[in-house]
Amino acid sequence: MAEAEESARDLGIVCANADAIRARLTGRGPAGAAAVLEDVLAAARSGRETGDAVETLHAVLQALGDPLGLHAYEDPVASGGTGSPTGRGVHAVGIGGERSGEPVYLCPARRCTRHGWPDHAPAPICAVSGGRLRLDRL
């Protein structure tokens, strides 16, 4: 996987799981541990590269006892681990995964791979910008 794709995937994991990561850092981490999450979000908000900040966050999560670190928050069903756990990424044998024209929520800034499927609820909130994910079509 190219470095830019990996950074976008990792930022998507952070965005989709920021509240859970923050709870982990504040609940089990030393005082100030949540600042590493805020460093990732601040870098993304300002348009800076997020790779180093994400690596630090990953290492802190591992130091708190989770060997998977940031990747513990990946959704094993969805591509890139940042989608909905509804299983919509699973296809029956012989049935293609193409969903041409299907609506999908995507990162409003096009910086990460976070996505979600519309389910009659408001669009998810981007942890970076605070805005809603944008509705697009595949």
Side-chain angles (χ1 to χ4, degrees):
M1 178 180 296
E3 186 174 337
E5 291 174 12
E6 187 173 340
S7 289
R9 185 204 63 211
D10 290 347
L11 184 57
I13 295 168
V14 171
C15 181
N17 298 285
D19 290 339
I21 293 170
R22 188 177 290 109
R24 169 83 167 143
L25 293 171
T26 58
R28 293 192 179 145
V36 296
L37 172 62
E38 299 310 320
D39 290 346
V40 173
L41 297 175
R45 284 182 190 118
S46 68
R48 295 189 325 262
E49 173 56 42
T50 59
D52 290 342
V54 167
E55 284 181 29
T56 300
L57 174 60
H58 178 66
V60 167
L61 289 168
Q62 287 179 316
L64 291 176
D66 191 340
L68 296 176
L70 182 62
H71 302 291
Y73 296 89
E74 278 186 284
D75 178 355
V77 174
S79 170
T82 59
S84 167
T86 62
R88 291 186 63 160
V90 177
H91 305 286
V93 174
I95 305 295
E98 296 297 318
R99 290 192 279 255
S100 181
E102 185 167 346
V104 62
Y105 290 121
L106 299 172
C107 176
R110 295 175 168 87
R111 285 213 53 188
C112 76
T113 61
R114 183 175 180 191
H115 63 276
W117 305 109
D119 59 0
H120 305 292
I125 301 291
C126 172
V128 174
S129 70
R132 297 211 176 267
L133 270 60
R134 65 185 168 82
L135 184 62
D136 206 334
R137 294 213 172 263
L138 291 178

